[in-house]
Structures are given as C-alpha cells and as structure tokens.
Amino acid sequence: MKCDQCDNEATVHEVTITNGIKGERHLCERCATAVQPVSLPIAQALKQVVETHARAAMKPGACPACGLTFAEFKQHGLLGCPDCYAAFESSLAPLLERAHEGGVAHTGKRPQHAGEVPNDPKPESAVLERLERLQRIRRELELAIKAEQYERAAKLRDELRTFGVESGGSDAGGQRQGHANE
Amino acid sequence: MLDPNQTPDANDSWNSPTEWLRGEGEANDVVLSSRARLARNIAGCPFVPRASRVDRVRSLDAARAAIMAGPLAPQMLWLNLHEAKILDRQILVERHLISKQLSKGRAGQGTGATEDPRGVAVSADERLSIMVNEEDHLRIQSIRSGLALAAAYREVDEADDAMERSLRLAFSPRFGYLTACPTNVGTGLRMSVMLHLPGLRLTGDIERVKRAAADMNLAVRGFYGEGSEAVGDLYQISNQTTLGRTEAAIIASLETEILPRVIEYERLSRRELTSRRRLGLEDQVWRAFGVLSSARLLTTEEAMQCLSLLRLGVLTGVIGPELCDVSRVHQMMLLVHPAHLQRALGVSLDQEQRRAARAGLVRGRLASRT
C-alpha cells in the first residue's frame, strides 16, 4: 500500500473513529513523523501506562524501587528489594526492634564498599580466636579424660582456668558460669 | 565426599559419611554438628521472592561467576538445581547441603517453582555450601562436625569476603546486611547446632530445656529446621536475633551460655539412665535393636527413632562394640533417608517399596558384623 502523502510504501496505519465516523490513514514512516497526530495516540497510550505504574509505585507507603506496599509486606513478611528498608524505615524500625529483642542498629561486619568503622576494623577477631582456642583446649581435655591421662587433664583444666572458665569435664556438676567478661 | 571432577550423580560420592554425621570434634556424644549461615543479597536487585525470571537469571549468573571464577573456585562444585534431578536435590537436602525450600524452588512463603533459576556450590569436603536464589540471593553456610561454631563462622566469613570481591552486597549502615525477611537483617548470621538429646527425652526434661532456650531467645527446632519435628531426638538450637549484636557476641552467647548447659543436662540424664534407671534404658535400647534387626517394614521416622536409641545404647555401653558402633549408626542414619536409600540400592522405589527396602538394608547392616 502506498503512503497517502507520497509514493513510499505505507508502514503506519491509523484507524480513528470520530463521532461514529470511521477514518483511515496510511503513511510512510517519514510522513508519519512529520504529521504529529498519527503518533499521538500511541504516545498517549504509553504515557498512560507509565503514569499508571508510577502511581502504583507512588501509592502511599510504597517502595519507589519495587512498588511493594507496606500492607503487602505485612501480609507475606518479606520485603521486595534492598530499597524497601529505606522506604519503610519508620514503620519497620519498631517491628525490627521487637523481632531482634531490642536490637535497633547494626553492629558487626561491614562490606568493604561501606567503608570501615573508625578504630579497629575487625575488633571481633580477638574474641573469635579466644573462643577457638577455648574449644581446642576443651576438646583436648575430653580426649585426655577418655584416655585416662589425668595428669594432662589437670594441666588442661589449669589452662582453662587461666581463661576464667570452669572445665565442665564429664564429672562437673553442671555449674558452668564465670567466664571472663569481655 | 564430593569429588569436583565427578558428575554430581556419580553413585559413589554419596555413599560416604557427610560432615554432619562424621562424629568428630568437641562434645560429639551430644553435638552432631555446628553450622554457620550468612544471608546476603546483591545490591540493586529485587529480593528473590519478588524477582522476575529475568532478575533471577541475572542474580544466578552474577553469583555463579563470583563463586566459580573467584578465589573459592578450586574447591567448589557447581550444580544448577533447576536442571537437577529430584533425587539429586533430595540427596543434597539429606546431606544438609541445601534447604528443602531451595530443593523445591520455593523462594520464601511458597512462591516460586521447581524450574526457577537457582543453584548451589558445594566444597569438595562438603563443609561449605553456597545456595543461590533461596529466599536471599546468597545463603553461605558451613557445617562442622561436633561443637565448632567459631570454626564454622570463620569459613563463611572468608567465603563472604571472597564473594564481596566481585559482588556489591546490599548493606545499610543502620540495618546492616539487607535480607528479604527482616528477621535475618543485620549480621545475616544464623548459628546453629544439631544436638542428639535422647537422654533428656527419656527423662522427660526436654520440655524444660526447650523453655529455657526460648527464654534466652533461642529457637529450638526439629531435624530439618523451621516447622519440622524432632525426628530421632535430633534438635537444632539457633540464635533468633541478628540485629544489634556482633557476630562474635552471637557465637559467644551460644557457645558459653546455653550450649554447655544443654550438653551437661543431656550427659546428666544419660548418667541417671545408666545408673538408677538402667533396666528401663536397656529395655528401650534392646527393643529398638530388636525392631531394627527384625522389622520387615520401616518408615524413615521409625528407623530414625530406633537408631537414636541405638546410638544412645552404644554411647552408654548397653550395646557392645561387637554389635554396633557409632559410625555405623551414623551411616544408617543417612541411608534410611529416601534419596540415599534409593541411591544405595540403585533403584527408584515408591514409598511402600522403600519401607521394605529400608528394613532390609538396616537388617543387613546390623547383621554384617555379628
């Protein structure tokens, strides 16, 4: 089919119904771009779609990144994307505090991109090392008792005491308190 | 043990003991295994439960590249779970390398399907596994035999560092590592231990322990985690809060406050049973032995319950080493599960056939040394 306005092949076909009267236009791409009204209905439709979605995302309390509403979150208990935390910050904070027994802010490991906390970047490693060392001694103590190496067991018990920890070997009476406070 | 050079469904690799039943490490009479798990998400991507298929493919590709082209690559074996056979997925669940949820493709609250893009990387020694597109983009977990929480944490911490070299992780200075479910936000760290507590069940003190743990804000769950029953007297104790406490504080409170007491209570119960209630204990253990060595039909639950008593019998000296030992009990604890059972026999069986096959296999294993 030829273009209504020139001799090129028509690629844009428009059907309009105005006051019950059907009208048709067939244009080539060049003429269609020149004649604005042809492309308008499509642009309008697109605009409408975009606006509807934008409105959905902008529903009161909705996350701007993923469109999840707080009501939806409450229904399923799952957030939609990392941005939800910022979007719902004020409503989430009391829920988090309850769920985490009073925990309100993160403390602990941080990814490198978040930057390091001033002072010691890994203040936890000393505590972990101490725990691992304790575990090794307790394991050795268990093995020593099993092998009836009582001298060695006594030595290990003393070592545990230097950590401020009761040995709690298989004969201990169940009282296991008094580890050093850090 | 998994061999990275073998295809994942090579028969032999699944026949060996897996980490949670290795029976080594501290307090292994009570603590079967320790586990650390970190929940992580990729910045700028929707969380898995709300992600489209395209999003899921993107996070899967990014995570796989970070694992299999990064520093962890030499020790890891990758498996696309949406392409894996059901039996292979079940084997991974039974070896505690992936969650049931990931096996089924349900990314939290029952959304998702078995063909949803997801995968897992497992280390050759089966200690480290990284689940991709579970409820969070990444679930990094390490399992260690016995009581070894700090060692398990160290491994996931290092794996997390390795992942971070090529992935930008979702993090907020206020809320920490951001997760799909706010109960994991902060450190994203869940530390848990798998405990065998038959003594406390027999003396009736298990409920007291559960209440005490709940008072300390710890979760006590059954064999397969959330919502599952304590099959075979196996209980998981884990921290519930992840925000506002450091990783070391979470580990220290489990390891120095609650666990030594639970372990001690279980040992006391066993001593009470072997001294003052010896006949009752012997009766229970020998009945279990009787069922295991003569039953013609066994469900997984009944087999696990009897194996639990058999383990108690071996550890308390009721059953002598000439009849059975702990490593053989552990072997059976794995083999009575549906996928391992079918793999061991090399045939696909329906539920009814499995009951007969399970009874036969257990009888055979128990008789082989008598």
Side-chain angles (χ1 to χ4, degrees), chain A residues 85 89 101 106 109 112 132, chain B residues 157 160 164 174 179 217:
Chain A
Y85 280 92
E89 188 163 352
E101 289 290 301
H106 176 60
K109 188 176 181 178
Q112 261 180 352
E132 271 184 301
Chain B
D157 182 37
D160 181 43
E164 210 206 307
R174 177 174 180 187
T179 52
N217 211 30

Side-chain angles (χ1 to χ4, degrees), chain A residues 66 78-80 82 85 89 100-101 105-107 109 111-113 122 124 132 135 138-139 142 170 176, chain B residues 25-27 47 147 154 157 160-161 164 169 174 177 179-180 182 217 242-243 247-248 255 260 267 271:
Chain A
C66 70
L78 294 172
L79 291 161
Y85 280 92
E89 188 163 352
H100 295 278
E101 289 290 301
H106 176 60
T107 154
K109 188 176 181 178
Q112 261 180 352
H113 71 75
K122 280 237 167 187
E124 305 304 324
E132 271 184 301
Q135 200 152 60
R138 282 205 302 256
R139 176 72 187 136
E142 273 187 5
S170 50
R176 272 280 195 101
Chain B
E26 192 194 337
F47 293 142
L147 184 59
R154 197 172 290 280
D157 182 37
D160 181 43
D161 289 344
E164 210 206 307
L169 299 174
R174 177 174 180 187
Y177 289 93
T179 52
N217 211 30
T242 52
L243 183 67
E247 291 83 0
E255 191 151 321
R267 286 176 176 162
R271 280 205 289 278

Side-chain angles (χ1 to χ4, degrees), chain B residues 77-360:
Chain B
L77 176 84
W78 176 265
L79 189 62
N80 275 332
L81 290 169
H82 49 282
E83 290 164 356
K85 292 186 210 120
I86 290 185
L87 198 64
D88 289 334
R89 299 202 306 259
Q90 274 179 339
I91 291 258
L92 291 168
V93 172
E94 290 171 9
R95 296 176 89 80
H96 294 191
L97 296 171
I98 64 171
S99 61
K100 265 188 179 172
Q101 202 177 330
L102 187 72
S103 166
K104 288 181 186 157
R106 297 200 182 285
Q109 312 299 315
T111 62
T114 177
E115 66 276 7
D116 274 341
R118 63 198 195 285
V120 66
V122 180
S123 68
D125 61 10
E126 289 190 38
R127 282 177 167 173
L128 181 67
S129 67
I130 304 177
M131 293 180 252
V132 179
N133 284 354
E134 214 243 28
E135 186 178 281
D136 296 296
H137 294 134
L138 301 171
R139 289 279 177 102
I140 308 170
Q141 74 154 28
S142 169
I143 299 185
R144 290 298 168 110
S145 187
L147 184 59
L149 292 172
Y153 173 69
R154 197 172 290 280
E155 187 163 34
V156 293
D157 182 37
E158 283 167 11
D160 181 43
D161 289 344
M163 300 295 286
E164 210 206 307
R165 286 194 205 173
S166 46
L167 290 178
R168 193 179 168 86
L169 299 174
F171 180 84
S172 118
R174 177 174 180 187
F175 294 126
Y177 289 93
L178 304 176
T179 52
C181 184
T183 53
N184 294 314
V185 80
T187 57
L189 176 64
R190 188 84 62 217
M191 296 296 313
S192 62
V193 282
M194 177 75 71
L195 303 171
H196 184 223
L197 305 175
L200 285 166
R201 181 178 59 84
L202 290 175
T203 55
D205 288 331
I206 191 76
E207 290 306 318
R208 268 175 50 204
V209 169
K210 280 191 198 170
R211 278 198 300 274
D215 285 346
M216 299 187 71
N217 211 30
L218 296 167
V220 183
R221 301 187 175 121
F223 192 45
Y224 284 116
E226 229 158 318
S228 64
E229 289 294 311
V231 177
D233 301 315
L234 296 173
Y235 295 85
Q236 275 189 65
I237 292 190
S238 59
N239 64 299
Q240 277 189 301
T241 62
T242 52
L243 183 67
R245 287 197 303 161
T246 63
E247 291 83 0
I250 292 170
I251 296 166
S253 78
L254 261 175
E255 191 151 321
T256 58
E257 288 166 25
I258 182 86
L259 288 176
R261 280 196 265 165
V262 177
I263 293 166
E264 202 48 45
Y265 287 153
E266 171 63 21
R267 286 176 176 162
L268 282 172
S269 303
R270 291 182 192 179
R271 280 205 289 278
E272 154 94 10
L273 289 166
T274 46
S275 52
R276 279 191 284 170
R277 297 159 71 165
R278 177 107 199 161
L279 195 59
L281 172 71
E282 285 180 352
D283 181 61
Q284 293 273 339
V285 170
W286 282 111
R287 276 169 188 271
F289 188 87
V291 169
L292 292 169
S293 51
S294 11
R296 260 49 186 173
L297 293 172
L298 274 177
T299 62
T300 311
E301 288 71 24
E302 189 181 8
M304 286 298 283
Q305 210 48 51
C306 291
L307 286 168
S308 164
L309 286 163
L310 184 59
R311 187 175 192 273
L312 178 66
V314 170
L315 287 169
T316 50
V318 172
I319 300 278
E322 72 288 354
L323 284 180
C324 195
D325 57 24
V326 172
S327 80
R328 194 187 299 208
V329 177
H330 286 185
Q331 225 177 32
M332 287 188 278
M333 278 183 159
L334 194 59
L335 285 175
V336 296
H337 285 84
H340 276 83
L341 179 70
Q342 294 175 73
R343 180 75 80 200
L345 300 174
V347 280
S348 164
L349 304 166
D350 65 30
Q351 203 173 0
E352 212 41 48
Q353 294 168 322
R354 286 204 297 272
R355 288 174 62 201
R358 185 176 293 116

Side-chain angles (χ1 to χ4, degrees), chain B residues 43-78:
Chain B
C45 292
F47 293 142
V48 183
R50 206 172 162 81
S52 65
R53 193 182 160 80
V54 174
D55 291 327
R56 289 182 194 205
V57 170
R58 257 179 60 207
S59 52
L60 183 76
D61 286 348
R64 182 177 42 211
I67 302 164
M68 301 313 286
L72 295 171
Q75 52 160 324
M76 304 304 271
L77 176 84
W78 176 265

Side-chain angles (χ1 to χ4, degrees), chain A residues 54-64 67-72 87-88 91:
Chain A
R55 262 199 306 279
M58 285 309 160
K59 266 186 283 186
C63 169
L68 183 88
T69 64
F70 197 69
E72 285 173 307
F88 305 138
S91 321

